[in-house]
């Protein structure tokens, strides 16, 4: 990392901390936005796009604190699941400052400060107008090498529980942004490291380095040391430094002591790729004559405005209502998703809580500088922490609403992650349902309903990769969870400039993408936590197996047909499911005590999309840590502490606190409050089109009503009529 | 079918035929649109939607001939693959009228009259400005129980080849609309049939009947007789007669003689369901208080108009160019799809021809009145013939362009299938590519490009089911083929009104959807013909297998990684592929003689989406006939006669002319002109939400460039800027 930039960051951070200290600590009250507009940003901004001729300040990390107006500082929680407010963060911080554990320690890190959700039963009972439920914060702290989990009661101002975790499970808390940034300069203290870099012809001022979680492999050096590896790139001539790896130079760093433990310097003959035309910025493409204008503008227009309302964190749209909050680890948390039944006009519960619990991204190169790249992006880096401000008009269409995140930095002071989540209505020209009668029946009927959905989106850039996380709600009751992958490949330097130089027997672990650049094969797994509450908390998981049934002799001219056979899962192991194309099933979560008018149990089904399975050896250390990818589907009984599929302390964990471990206890799950888990997978063999920035690749799964409604719930929606649609003009002719 | 309606249809048909005879046969010239506006419809109509207060005539079968203006009658082919024009249809008809085979026969049927494509080599050489290639028509005729395939040379006016097919392969040609309509009244001639209907309490005037292809089961009655089964419904009180089956009454009809062969009458105790609230028409829903307005209007707006141009049948959009034509059997045929390389500005070939070759829809009920329901919708019914006029603003968004089909009726006279295909640009708010730098790297970069695509769509209503067929083109070179299923279930009558009445041991073959209605389990398979020409006609199929590789002791702290192993398919059997989640592969079509700058063979890959496999017994007669669903992927050498995966004569075929049979010849396919075949599958266990009309369910696959371009081909596209987007007003405030 460039020293100058680091300085800027540090100075800014210190400045912010000072402002906060001055402002809040003395009076513990709201910021005066007239005085301290820095912390005051708008709730719903419609930034002009970054037209190069008309540059408009867009949010970025260092300008977070310079937005106009905002009411975050005076926010008070309106719903038991609302995230901690700025006032609450500051209160927590004050309480902790006076708490013995921290008082006695000159250095500690708050790795996570988030709402401690009230008991589910209390939340379910709570309704608008009721007294607020007591507010608590859940804190993960790292003090003198030990991880602690604390609960802070915001009413009493007390720490009400504290647990030192070190000896019960392996692993460390999620890194803080300060951890990640802090380790980057460490290798530069090593002359050996600097010599390695310089020998490759890279100017130290051009260095861009990444903090790479080092996994866990059972070696001596990993015991009792919080490790990280640092690898660097050259940003000479491009912002796309990822395409200019300094291959084979790896610093192993002690994250606590901020000391280099070892430097390896392999592949000294591998040149740094030239990076020509890798800068993907529009301004640069235009400058270099690479601009490619192919399309007239197209826009989603809503002349009467969007159909959703957002009150605090409560979203209402069409027949849906749900609570939405940003989370530093999960990113987006959807809670209490309910859909209105057109027959009764009542809201009915579908899902109590849904979020991306963990990611696993193993690279398929076992060599020294690559084998450890087996990321768990949520538990190691914080999926929400990496969700950068969305780019209005491009990340989300015109009428999107933007929700900010407010998170705690490592000393507990709150900061703003502006525009972290967007909410918008989408219409792609698709069809919700249709039927046309054909000439055979001579009925003149054509009825078609356009399909409009509500999308909740964030985009997390975990260093090179960008994950676009969508929760899409349909009026027919379906929820689609979709992940789009874009961003930049993690590539490997090579001496080869052309495939004809590669000896026949040599395996590259990937694809030669450009001269001296290999895109290494890797997988992505995204594991979702889905606390389904279908018409109530107690549900059962039913596997509806579709199996070939042979007919008996004389029974039918047919030899075979497919028969649906239902099996209710009694215990967790019944619900450890690997998808089978040739032994397929539907996967239903039903409420066994609620039936439709004609007697079917009400339910939702999980409908997998295209996916990929982890094929690593189950005993391979990364796979043990990511054992939650051993199956695509799991069902566990609700347990407040089982939320993170790779363990609460995923960093450097040994795999002793994963979904696999919990599920193997084989607890009863029939007619219980159950949590459904599903993993989306991708195998990615890079191709040249992924260079220097990748077109988005997506996958998804659906939660789809299955005998939840008595009938198609959108039978009565009207078609589009010409009169409803807007009259538009081009801006330059308007 | 109601006799009155049949009469109307017949009178109208005769009228149309007379008009055509009078108009064209004498002068063989264009229609005068001032005189005969009936055949003149607009090329690109923007119908107002069917607002009940403001009803606007929408096209339907009986009004096809009443559109204003149109230039079809004066059309001349502009491209060798343009479909037959009205003038050409009439010329073919005249030629055939004088051809001995037809001259000597008092009754014959032309089951198909379509363009006979010129030799692929000639088409590939042809370019705009060249002399037109000789025009020929391919005719399938059914004369005195024999099927004939003829080629008519339109220049010489001669039949240049004729082949009687009867003894070489089994099966009959695709039914004509006249066949389908013609058989419906046949059962009504039987007093036994009428008695059965009346006994169920159904008024004969309320009958709505369907022509149901009877499959093939190797029985005596099937030999040398073109059979069809007729089952009927009551349309009393609803247009949704499908929900009021007269269960168990089946007439077996000789389609040629139009005679009832037998009537079966089972399940006489099964009442006809009441059909309450099954009428899905908006006007009726509104009338009955079922209207459900949940959303403000939303519209895809393009202030400067769409970015595509359509010249005849040639579509140009962004970096794509392709030929598009309606086909009575396939529906949509995409030809010569080419994408522009941003590096060279040259168009490069991707696919010579793509279309839905066949469908297979087996129902999973082996009982007497259901076992035979194993439809092959393209070969039996004509997928394109069933593609009803699209509903503007609902089937396709505002700026869609509509393309008509012109097909031949059974005596060879052309008729119009208006608005059969639409072409539009879609933007759902999605992201083509993005990257944001995160605080770790301290670079202030957020670059996002919105994703806009071009969609080509038709919606075929094969009686109850509606298939929405999309070909979606992306600027990054990807082609997505998507099928949406909507429409109405084929249901079975039952005595049960509630699941609690069903004995524990009884299996219903489906789901009780409403009182007296079972939604029977079924599958859908849609098989695509994809003549890939990746940068030229000669290509190879490469399976890139992703397999677990264990590391050697001491090689790495990792135990395993995934390795990509390429295998070039030498012969057809190497490319008979069943997808395997736990032994996955990528499937590439490469041009082995063309390499990228850095030496990768240029290619496209087939990326399957979520799918389902046929699990029927391979020896079950329906599965033998639909043996093309035995694998998901096949590759065959290009052979002009191998286009229809279930055989040219799929109706009542025995499975002797399927893709499986061709592929089993195991011909060489390496570095040849090859055709890729892919099948999308669905298992459908109906649920109450599918009643009385089904929310759309979709599946898709992608053809994705893989080292086809040197780099991301849309690196240079600009983001959205606020100035580009339109200024819109609600119509009522405009």
């Amino acid at each position: 990392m460039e020293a100058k930039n680091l300085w800027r960051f540090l100075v800014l951070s210190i400045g912010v901390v000072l402002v906060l200290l001055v402002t809040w600590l003395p009076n513990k009250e709201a910021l005066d936005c007239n005085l301290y507009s820095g912390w005051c940003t708008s709730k719903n901004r419609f930034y002009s796009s970054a037209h190069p001729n008309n540059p408009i300040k867009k949010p970025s990390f260092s300008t977070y604190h310079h937005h106009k107006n905002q009411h975050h500082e005076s926010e008070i929680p309106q719903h038991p699941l609302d995230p901690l407010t700025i006032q609450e963060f500051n209160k927590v911080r004050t309480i902790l400052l006076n708490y013995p554990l921290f008082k006695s320690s000159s250095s500690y890190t708050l790795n996570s400060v988030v709402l401690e959700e009230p008991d589910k039963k209390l939340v379910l009972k709570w309704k608008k107008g009721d007294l607020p439920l007591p507010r608590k914060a859940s804190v993960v702290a790292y003090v003198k090498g030990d991880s602690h989990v604390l609960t802070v009661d915001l009413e009493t101002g007390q720490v009400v529980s504290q647990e030192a975790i070190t000896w019960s499970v392996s692993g460390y808390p999620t890194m803080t942004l300060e951890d990640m940034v802090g380790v980057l300069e460490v290798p530069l203290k090593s002359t050996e490291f600097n010599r390695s870099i310089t020998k490759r012809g890279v100017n130290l001022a051009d260095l861009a380095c990444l903090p790479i979680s080092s996994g866990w492999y059972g070696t001596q050096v990993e015991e009792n040391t919080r490790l990280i590896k640092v690898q660097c790139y050259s940003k000479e001539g491009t912002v796309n430094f990822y395409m200019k790896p300094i291959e084979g130079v790896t610093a192993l760093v002690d994250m606590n002591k901020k000391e280099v433990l070892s430097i390896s310097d392999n592949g000294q003959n591998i040149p740094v790729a030239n990076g020509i035309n890798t800068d993907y910025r529009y301004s640069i493409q235009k400058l270099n004559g690479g601009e490619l204008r192919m399309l007239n503008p197209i826009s989603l227009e809503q002349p009467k405005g969007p159909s959703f309302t957002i009150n605090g964190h409560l979203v209402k749209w069409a027949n849906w209502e749900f609570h939405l909050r940003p989370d530093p680890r999960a990113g987006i948390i959807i809670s209490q998703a309910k859909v209105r039944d057109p027959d009764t006009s009542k809201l009915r519960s579908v899902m109590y809580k849904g979020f991306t619990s963990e990611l696993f991204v193993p690279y398929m190169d076992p060599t020294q500088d690559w084998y450890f790249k087996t990321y768990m992006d949520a538990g190691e880096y914080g999926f929400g922490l990496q969700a950068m401000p969305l780019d209005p008009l491009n990340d989300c269409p015109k009428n999107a609403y933007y929700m900010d995140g407010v998170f705690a930095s490592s000393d507990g002071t709150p900061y703003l992650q502006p525009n972290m989540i967007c909410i918008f209505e989408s219409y792609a020209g698709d069809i919700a349902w249709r039927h046309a009668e054909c000439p055979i029946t001579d009925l003149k009927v054509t009825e078609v309903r356009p399909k409009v959905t509500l999308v909740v989106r964030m985009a997390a850039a975990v260093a090179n990769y960008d994950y676009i996380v969508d929760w899409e709600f349909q009026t027919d009751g379906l929820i689609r969870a979709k992940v789009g992958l874009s961003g930049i490949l993690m590539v490997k330097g090579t001496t080869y400039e052309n495939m004809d130089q590669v000896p026949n027997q040599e395996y590259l672990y990937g694809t030669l993408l450009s001269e001296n650049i290999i895109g290494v094969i890797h997988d992505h797994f995204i594991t979702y936590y889905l606390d389904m509450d279908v018409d109530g908390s107690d549900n059962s998981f039913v596997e509806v197996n579709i199996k070939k049934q042979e007919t008996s002799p004389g029974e039918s001219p047919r030899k075979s047909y497919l028969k649906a056979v239902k099996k209710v899962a009694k215990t967790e192991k019944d619900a450890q499911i690997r998808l089978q194309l040739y032994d397929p099933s539907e996967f239903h979560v039903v409420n066994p005590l609620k039936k439709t008018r004609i007697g079917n149990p009400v339910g939702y089904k999980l409908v997998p999309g295209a996916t990929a399975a982890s094929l690593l050896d189950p005993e391979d250390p990364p796979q043990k840590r990511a054992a939650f990818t051993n199956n695509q589907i799991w069902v566990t009984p609700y347990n407040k502490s089982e939320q993170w599929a790779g363990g609460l302390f995923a960093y450097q964990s040994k795999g002793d606190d994963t979904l696999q471990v919990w599920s193997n206890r084989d607890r009863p799950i029939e007619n219980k409050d159950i949590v459904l888990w599903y993993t989306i997978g991708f195998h990615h063999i890079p191709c040249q089109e992924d260079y220097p920035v990748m077109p988005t690749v997506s996958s998804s799964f659906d939660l789809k009503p299955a005998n939840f409604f008595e009938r198609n719930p959108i039978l009565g929606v009207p078609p589009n009529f010409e009169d409803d649609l807007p009259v538009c003009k081009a801006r330059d002719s308007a």
Side-chain angles (χ1 to χ4, degrees), chain A:
Chain A
M1 172 176 241
E2 204 181 345
K4 201 169 66 181
N5 285 335
L6 185 73
W7 261 113
R8 267 195 229 139
F9 172 74
L10 288 175
V11 168
L12 195 81
S13 305
I14 294 164
V16 168
V17 169
L18 286 175
V19 167
L20 294 177
L21 282 173
V22 168
T23 317
W24 289 314
L25 291 189
N27 56 21
K28 285 178 194 160
E29 279 308 307
L31 265 179
D32 178 351
C33 266
N34 296 320
L35 288 174
Y36 299 101
S37 62
W39 266 97
C40 305
T41 67
S42 81
K43 193 108 203 202
N44 190 358
R45 283 171 300 276
F46 296 92
Y47 286 104
S48 296
S49 61
H51 199 298
N53 303 330
N54 177 26
I56 289 179
K57 222 176 219 170
K58 286 194 291 180
S60 74
F61 189 69
S62 59
T63 58
Y64 281 1
H65 313 121
H66 302 289
H67 289 296
K68 270 179 296 185
N69 86 13
Q70 178 56 292
H71 307 291
H72 288 306
E73 77 294 339
S74 61
E75 258 171 11
I76 53 166
Q78 299 170 48
H79 185 284
L81 298 178
D82 278 359
L84 295 179
T85 63
I86 285 179
Q87 293 183 38
E88 289 176 330
F89 275 116
N90 284 301
K91 196 163 176 187
V92 170
R93 192 167 170 267
T94 312
I95 294 166
L96 293 180
L97 279 172
N98 293 305
Y99 186 66
L101 178 67
F102 303 102
K103 230 175 172 172
S104 63
S105 172
S106 61
S107 99
Y108 61 88
T109 305
L110 302 183
N111 296 69
S112 168
V113 182
V114 295
L115 173 76
E116 168 126 346
E117 290 184 24
D119 274 357
K120 183 170 170 181
K121 281 191 179 134
L122 297 177
V123 177
L124 287 171
K125 258 187 227 155
W126 188 90
K127 56 188 190 305
K128 206 180 161 182
D130 286 358
L131 282 177
L133 295 182
R135 300 280 292 176
K136 292 179 188 166
S138 174
V139 176
V140 175
Y142 189 67
V143 188
K144 294 184 195 156
D146 288 350
S147 304
H148 298 264
V149 179
L150 303 92
T151 299
V152 177
D153 187 321
L154 283 153
E155 324 289 300
T156 64
Q158 300 297 313
V159 173
V160 290
S161 89
Q162 182 202 328
E163 203 185 342
I165 300 294
T166 322
W167 307 116
S168 59
V169 294
S170 64
Y172 300 104
T174 306
M175 287 185 281
T176 63
L177 284 179
E178 293 82 351
D179 279 334
M180 298 176 222
V181 174
V183 297
L184 296 182
E185 66 188 306
V186 173
L188 290 167
K189 294 191 264 180
S190 151
T191 50
E192 186 188 347
F193 182 83
N194 292 355
R195 207 182 314 121
S196 292
I197 299 298
T198 315
K199 270 206 299 200
R200 305 289 181 108
V202 175
N203 195 323
L204 291 180
D206 286 331
L207 268 197
C209 300
L210 294 179
I212 300 178
S213 57
S214 53
W216 171 80
Y217 292 88
T219 61
Q220 194 55 44
V221 68
E222 292 169 287
E223 287 301 314
N224 303 318
T225 311
R226 203 161 64 114
L227 296 176
I228 195 156
K229 292 187 173 173
V230 178
Q231 294 184 334
C232 301
Y233 300 78
S234 165
K235 60 183 173 191
E236 187 198 359
T238 180
V239 292
N240 195 347
F241 60 85
Y242 303 100
M243 293 301 121
K244 293 170 73 78
I246 301 165
E247 191 58 43
V249 180
T250 304
L252 179 66
V253 171
D254 180 322
M255 219 190 311
N256 293 344
K257 297 188 183 154
K258 294 205 163 46
E259 281 177 13
V260 172
L261 296 177
S262 65
I263 305 281
S264 61
D265 186 355
N266 305 302
Q268 296 180 14
N269 57 332
I270 300 174
V272 174
N274 63 30
I276 289 173
N277 206 16
T278 59
D279 196 323
Y280 49 89
R281 286 176 297 177
Y282 175 60
S283 54
I284 300 297
Q285 286 293 317
K286 201 176 172 186
L287 203 66
N288 295 340
E291 191 186 10
L292 200 61
R293 269 194 189 269
M294 304 191 285
L295 298 174
N296 289 341
I298 183 165
S299 179
L300 279 169
E301 294 291 337
Q302 301 174 285
K304 296 182 178 172
S307 311
F308 55 79
T309 60
I310 300 180
N311 191 350
H313 292 82
L314 204 63
V315 181
K316 295 185 185 185
W317 173 78
N319 44 356
W320 281 101
E321 193 175 308
F322 57 90
H323 186 275
L324 166 64
R325 74 177 194 266
D327 182 81
R329 182 160 178 173
I332 290 172
I333 295 180
I334 305 283
S335 298
Q336 295 198 286
K338 298 172 193 168
V339 65
R340 198 170 300 279
D341 191 314
D343 283 343
T344 62
S345 297
K346 287 208 176 117
L347 281 171
R348 295 170 62 191
S349 166
V350 175
M351 183 173 76
Y352 182 71
K353 191 174 179 183
F355 60 92
T356 47
S357 170
E358 191 52 277
L359 292 87
F360 177 45
V361 188
Y363 282 72
M364 300 304 173
D365 182 337
T367 60
Q368 194 183 338
D369 297 289
W370 278 80
Y371 75 89
F372 51 86
K373 295 179 184 176
T374 55
Y375 304 98
M376 285 161 66
D377 286 327
E380 293 178 340
Y381 291 88
F383 206 34
L385 289 182
Q386 311 298 334
M388 294 299 100
L390 295 162
D391 183 21
L393 301 187
N394 289 299
D395 269 322
C396 320
K398 202 166 174 181
N399 283 321
Y401 172 99
Y402 293 87
M403 187 179 276
D404 299 335
V406 179
F407 299 145
S409 48
S410 62
D411 69 351
T413 51
Y415 69 91
L416 201 67
Q417 198 91 303
N419 286 18
M420 178 183 156
I421 296 173
C422 72
I423 302 107
F424 63 92
E425 282 170 287
S426 171
Y427 167 59
D430 284 335
I431 297 169
W433 61 259
R434 86 181 304 280
H435 183 60
E437 278 298 323
C438 58
I440 302 169
T441 62
D442 201 34
L443 288 165
K444 281 145 211 75
V445 177
T446 299
E447 294 280 336
V448 191
R449 302 295 178 269
K451 179 169 175 172
V452 180
T453 63
L454 183 80
V455 179
V456 175
R457 172 174 295 166
M458 76 159 191
V462 191
N464 55 313
Y465 250 103
D466 292 51
Y467 292 87
I468 302 154
V469 176
D470 284 1
W471 288 87
E472 188 172 12
F473 295 82
Q474 296 187 184
T475 54
D476 62 7
L478 185 146
I479 304 175
R480 174 162 295 176
K482 186 163 96 172
V483 178
L485 305 180
S486 187
I488 300 175
L489 284 172
M490 181 148 274
V491 302
K492 180 174 180 171
T494 174
T495 57
Y496 299 123
E497 301 192 327
N498 195 295
M499 283 305 290
D500 61 20
Q501 299 166 343
V502 183
N504 220 2
Q505 297 306 315
E506 189 171 330
Y507 179 68
L508 295 184
Y509 305 105
T511 308
L512 191 69
L513 298 179
S514 181
E515 287 80 0
N516 308 117
I517 290 290
I518 291 167
V520 175
I521 297 172
H522 56 280
D523 285 348
H524 298 266
F525 299 99
I526 303 97
T527 297
Y528 285 77
Y529 172 103
L530 306 160
D531 179 359
M532 303 300 289
D533 274 17
V534 177
D535 247 352
S537 287
D538 286 353
N539 289 170
S540 292
F541 178 76
V542 181
E543 187 176 355
V544 184
N545 189 231
I546 300 171
K547 51 181 262 187
K548 181 174 81 169
Q549 175 74 44
E550 315 244 336
T551 56
S552 325
E555 181 188 352
S556 170
R558 282 269 283 274
K559 280 196 195 315
S560 62
Y561 63 100
L562 301 195
K563 190 169 177 179
V565 180
K566 292 182 186 183
K567 199 186 85 185
V568 178
K570 304 288 181 195
T571 62
E572 289 176 284
K573 285 190 180 171
D574 290 341
Q576 293 183 349
I577 286 169
R578 285 163 66 82
L579 300 175
Q580 305 288 347
L581 183 56
Y582 306 104
D583 181 16
S585 291
E586 289 193 351
F587 308 101
H588 293 234
V589 175
V590 304
N591 187 321
L593 302 181
K594 297 252 168 94
K595 306 249 195 254
T596 61
R597 186 186 73 244
I598 53 164
N600 290 307
V602 305
Y604 257 71
K605 65 179 176 183
L606 170 79
V607 186
T611 193
S614 183
L615 304 173
L616 293 178
D617 192 301
E619 293 305 311
D620 206 351
Q623 188 60 34
K624 280 185 85 160
R625 302 175 64 224
F628 52 89
T629 62
N630 287 345
N631 300 302
Q632 285 89 27
I633 297 174
W634 314 72
V635 178
T636 56
Y638 174 82
N639 180 336
K640 204 173 171 178
S641 72
E642 294 174 4
Q643 298 216 58
W644 307 108
L648 176 64
F649 298 127
Y651 199 93
Q652 229 167 305
S653 69
K654 300 178 181 175
D656 43 6
D657 185 28
T658 69
L659 175 51
Q660 171 85 68
V661 173
W662 314 332
S663 169
N664 278 352
R665 280 185 272 160
D666 206 21
R667 294 161 288 186
I669 53 170
E670 187 181 2
N671 198 16
K672 300 262 181 226
D673 189 358
I674 53 176
V675 176
L676 179 66
W677 303 77
Y678 181 72
T679 296
I680 294 178
F682 299 83
H683 296 303
H684 190 175
I685 302 176
C687 58
Q688 287 185 235
E689 286 79 2
D690 293 333
Y691 174 92
V693 62
M694 294 179 277
T696 308
V697 170
S698 297
S699 189
S700 64
F701 68 92
D702 296 341
L703 299 170
K704 189 173 191 291
N707 306 317
F708 184 81
F709 296 108
E710 294 291 347
R711 67 181 64 80
N712 181 338
I714 49 168
L715 193 58
V717 302
N720 271 336
F721 297 117
E722 180 132 37
D723 285 352
D724 293 335
L725 301 188
V727 179
C728 300
K729 287 177 184 170
R731 190 166 297 261
D732 47 27
S733 71

